[in-house]
Amino acid sequence: MIGVIGIVLSLGLLMYLAYRGITVLILAPILALVAAMFSDMPIIATYTHVFMPNLANYLKLFFPVFLLGAIFGKVMEDSGCAKAIAHDIAERVGKSRAILAVVLSCGILTYGGVSLFVVAFAVYPIAAHLFREAGTPKFLIPGAIALGSFTFTMTALPGTPQIQNAIPMPFFKTTVYAAPVLGTIIGIIMFVAGTWWLMYRAKVANARGEFYGNHPNEVVKDFDSANLPSVWVALLPIIIVLVLNFILSEYVLTANATGYDYLKAKPFETNLGAVRGIWALVISLVVAVIFAIAVNWKRFTDVKESVNAGVFGSMLPILNTASEVGYGNVVKTLSAFAIIQAALLSISDNPLITSAIATNILAGITGSASGGMSIALGAMGETFYQAALAQGINPQVLHRVVAIACGGLDSLPHNGAVITLLGITQLTHKQSYADIGMVSVVIPVICCALAIVLGTLGVV
């Protein structure tokens, strides 16, 4: 029980100190070793031979995805493609449907692989203009951006190249298109329910005489549509990511593909099923980045600087997440963890339920969807996988449920993306978090429960 106390204490400190602004790069190894001390594990050996190897292994698997995803997002931003897509959607939907226009703009961009941070910066000036013209209260802008960026396109819709959909692949031998029917159903429900909620809130606010409001400290640059690519040119890189990824993962790098027997031998010692999802995503992002640069060459101020900014922008997210994976694997090795694992697994015999609960709780504690999922899968991914196989549950369903689960409690008030979004829109938690919480916490958690029910019934 002393070891269990150590694990609980270290998790509590991780949540509190991360919320206070201390980087996970420092917190994760220190607090992993705090948990190890309570279980009488040797400190230095635990750090060098448990924490660091697991951190390094995560980098080996996912660094290309983080790197290329960040470069792709920066290229889409600096070429004007992101703004062109958002502007075109806003024009087509119309100012009277400002909320729907913002949600769709964010959704299309994030579904195409653009970073949610890039999306927030690109869409906010357009959102502010639309909301002002429509008389929609400004405090709903963060909720609209969160709905389009943090929810259905991040975790539910099959094919999304966001990292939250990529992390389960090597654990469950799946691709980003896992459980397409289940993911599509849940994604549509999230979108419809969230949009309805925001429109309802706007209607209620208008009825009591509340409109966009006066914001004297508001700083929003005028939207300049000059030198933007056409919307079709802007969409092509996104289409390349989605289509090429699908072709490679479903028709080229399949279980029946020949010529990959060399993977079983040294120095590779793996199999195609374990890497095909990552390979397909990496190749698709490379092609999309090259295409986006080529067709928008004259629109860049400096291509080299754009690529470099994307590279540097990927470093902190990947290292933060890898550190959390190292933390999770240290906890996994502790004898006391067997008690916690047994308690989690005793909640239900259904691995969909246990994996969803573990992922959601850890995402809430860490304030990170990818971090919470990585800790949960690093510690119990193989257990969930084997339990699913033993019960005849398709690993694709397990992939989709875990991905959806990570996008629930992660968006609690201490979440970094929530804090950044409020900073961009110059609003406070008091003004806007109730709606952010509804569309990115409450509705996704309910949808996760529905995904478990449908997945148990065999919907794939």
Side-chain angles (χ1 to χ4, degrees):
M1 286 305 300
I2 292 177
V4 172
I5 292 171
I7 293 173
V8 173
L9 175 64
S10 71
L11 279 171
L13 288 172
L14 181 64
M15 177 173 65
Y16 173 74
L17 295 175
Y19 179 66
R20 301 294 296 178
I22 301 177
T23 175
V24 173
L25 292 177
I26 294 294
L27 289 179
I30 292 176
L31 294 176
L33 298 182
V34 167
M37 284 192 298
F38 276 78
S39 293
D40 293 327
M41 287 277 286
I43 302 302
I44 297 299
T46 299
Y47 177 73
T48 59
H49 284 73
V50 181
F51 182 90
M52 286 306 300
N54 282 286
L55 180 150
N57 187 59
Y58 188 87
L59 290 176
K60 179 187 73 174
L61 286 173
F62 293 110
F63 180 68
V65 176
F66 275 85
L67 178 70
L68 292 167
I71 293 173
F72 179 69
K74 191 61 179 173
V75 166
M76 290 291 286
E77 179 184 23
D78 290 355
S79 66
C81 288
K83 286 185 178 179
I85 293 169
H87 180 64
D88 184 78
I89 292 171
E91 289 289 315
R92 291 176 186 273
V93 174
K95 67 179 183 181
S96 63
R97 299 184 180 88
I99 290 173
L100 179 61
V102 171
V103 173
L104 287 175
S105 298
C106 295
I108 289 174
L109 289 169
T110 50
Y111 187 57
V114 181
S115 162
L116 60 90
F117 296 104
V118 171
V119 170
F121 279 107
V123 172
Y124 173 55
I126 299 171
H129 172 73
L130 288 173
F131 274 52
R132 190 184 298 111
E133 289 293 310
T136 304
K138 183 184 176 180
F139 69 79
L140 292 173
I141 291 180
I145 294 176
L147 175 60
S149 304
F150 301 177
T151 63
F152 60 98
T153 55
M154 185 178 84
T155 63
L157 291 184
T160 177
Q162 296 295 333
I163 191 63
Q164 292 80 6
N165 191 35
I167 289 172
M169 294 192 298
F171 292 97
F172 305 140
K173 300 176 176 57
T174 50
T175 71
V176 291
Y177 288 94
V181 175
L182 176 62
T184 301
I185 291 172
I186 297 300
I188 291 172
I189 293 173
M190 282 188 193
F191 166 72
V192 172
T195 304
W196 175 85
W197 171 261
L198 294 173
M199 288 182 170
Y200 166 76
R201 289 276 288 158
K203 183 178 180 180
V204 170
N206 289 165
R208 63 173 181 253
E210 188 174 357
F211 298 93
Y212 186 79
N214 182 30
H215 304 277
N217 297 322
E218 182 175 65
V219 179
V220 180
K221 295 180 180 179
D222 291 333
F223 181 75
D224 182 11
S225 60
N227 198 38
L228 292 182
S230 72
V231 67
W232 297 112
V233 170
L235 283 169
L236 279 174
I238 289 176
I239 294 171
I240 287 172
V241 171
L242 297 173
V243 174
L244 184 57
N245 192 355
F246 181 77
I247 292 172
L248 290 173
S249 59
E250 301 299 322
Y251 294 103
V252 178
L253 302 172
T254 65
N256 298 323
T258 58
Y260 296 97
D261 290 341
Y262 65 87
L263 290 174
K264 298 177 183 178
K266 290 184 178 181
F268 309 109
E269 298 182 279
T270 187
N271 60 77
L272 184 61
V275 298
R276 69 188 183 106
I278 296 291
W279 284 11
L281 186 52
V282 166
I283 294 169
S284 301
L285 286 169
V286 168
V287 173
V289 166
I290 293 172
F291 178 85
I293 292 174
V295 299
N296 295 290
W297 183 266
K298 294 182 178 180
R299 296 187 178 92
F300 287 94
T301 303
D302 189 332
V303 172
K304 178 185 69 178
E305 289 303 315
S306 295
V307 173
N308 285 348
V311 171
F312 298 141
S314 71
M315 297 300 177
L316 187 57
I318 180 65
L319 288 173
N320 279 341
T321 308
S323 293
E324 289 168 334
V325 171
Y327 171 90
N329 277 276
V330 168
V331 171
K332 173 186 174 181
T333 64
L334 305 179
S335 57
F337 180 72
I339 299 173
I340 295 175
Q341 185 179 39
L344 282 171
L345 295 177
S346 67
I347 293 173
S348 171
D349 293 332
N350 188 334
L352 298 180
I353 295 175
T354 52
S355 62
I357 290 174
T359 301
N360 227 325
I361 290 173
L362 288 167
I365 289 172
T366 60
S368 167
S370 58
M373 180 198 292
S374 297
I375 292 174
L377 295 185
M380 291 180 285
E382 182 64 20
T383 302
F384 297 146
Y385 179 65
Q386 293 300 332
L389 293 180
Q391 296 184 30
I393 296 173
N394 192 319
Q396 291 190 41
V397 174
L398 187 59
H399 172 133
R400 187 57 53 209
V401 166
V402 168
I404 293 168
C406 84
L409 298 181
D410 69 305
S411 297
L412 292 174
H414 64 289
N415 174 271
V418 169
I419 294 169
T420 300
L421 177 57
L422 291 172
I424 292 171
T425 56
Q426 299 167 310
L427 292 165
T428 65
H429 280 80
K430 183 178 179 179
Q431 291 171 303
S432 296
Y433 185 75
D435 297 294
I436 294 174
M438 176 58 73
V439 301
S440 67
V441 177
V442 176
I443 291 174
V445 168
I446 294 171
C447 285
C448 182
L450 179 58
I452 291 170
V453 173
L454 294 176
T456 303
L457 294 175
V459 177
V460 180

